[in-house]
Amino acid sequence: MISKDNRQIKLYYNSETSIGRQILPFVEASEKKVLTIDISTTKVTGTQWLEIADHLKMSISELVNVNHPDFVKNYGNKAMNLNEHDWLKLIETHPIIINYPIVIHGNNFMQIKSPSDLAKYLDKE
């Protein structure tokens, strides 16, 4: 289970992606306590990915950028018919294929597609 705290912002991001590097300073500038989870160096369990996808109201496959060069290099660009377990294995093996950083604040789970998305959310707080 992922702990949820209104006084803390959790950021699941990949420091190897440009969006991950852009989002990090915005989160760190928040007045809230911050916990960063760099998925390029920290293993996130399949159970945690399932919980994240569930709170985002998405399937596991929707967390994956199937157009990412690493994904295409390893798996091609054809539509893949994988089950949930297979998608989890792909994410665990190649975390760089995650589409966007994910912010958790209390019970709010959000994919952050740009720094302005995060800035808008933090401004509401």
Side-chain angles (χ1 to χ4, degrees):
M1 292 282 305
I2 296 174
S3 64
K4 299 164 196 84
D5 184 346
N6 286 325
R7 295 170 300 196
Q8 181 183 59
I9 294 175
K10 280 191 179 128
L11 172 66
Y12 286 79
Y13 78 109
N14 191 322
S15 63
E16 296 177 7
T17 64
S18 62
I19 187 70
R21 290 187 299 274
Q22 291 171 29
I23 293 294
L24 184 60
F26 280 85
V27 172
E28 290 175 334
S30 167
E31 295 177 9
K32 305 260 185 211
K33 190 168 89 174
V34 174
L35 174 63
T36 58
I37 298 102
D38 181 353
I39 63 172
S40 71
T41 59
T42 303
K43 182 173 173 37
V44 178
T45 68
T47 302
Q48 289 170 314
W49 284 121
L50 286 169
E51 184 176 354
I52 288 168
D54 183 54
H55 280 279
L56 290 170
K57 297 182 180 10
M58 303 173 86
S59 68
I60 291 295
S61 64
E62 291 175 293
L63 296 177
V64 174
N65 178 359
V66 295
N67 296 314
H68 189 281
D70 286 354
F71 184 91
V72 172
K73 181 178 90 179
N74 290 309
Y75 307 104
N77 56 4
K78 297 177 184 160
M80 296 186 68
N81 187 16
L82 301 176
N83 65 35
E84 191 172 77
H85 178 75
D86 293 333
W87 284 108
L88 286 170
K89 285 292 185 198
L90 288 177
I91 291 170
E92 289 173 356
T93 307
H94 304 286
I96 197 157
I97 64 175
I98 290 292
N99 267 329
Y100 302 105
I102 297 161
V103 167
I104 301 171
H105 179 229
N107 287 317
N108 297 316
F109 285 60
M110 299 153 284
Q111 277 191 320
I112 304 298
K113 298 178 182 179
S114 73
S116 63
D117 287 350
L118 183 61
K120 287 179 208 170
Y121 176 76
L122 293 174
D123 287 347
K124 290 181 193 175
E125 290 299 301

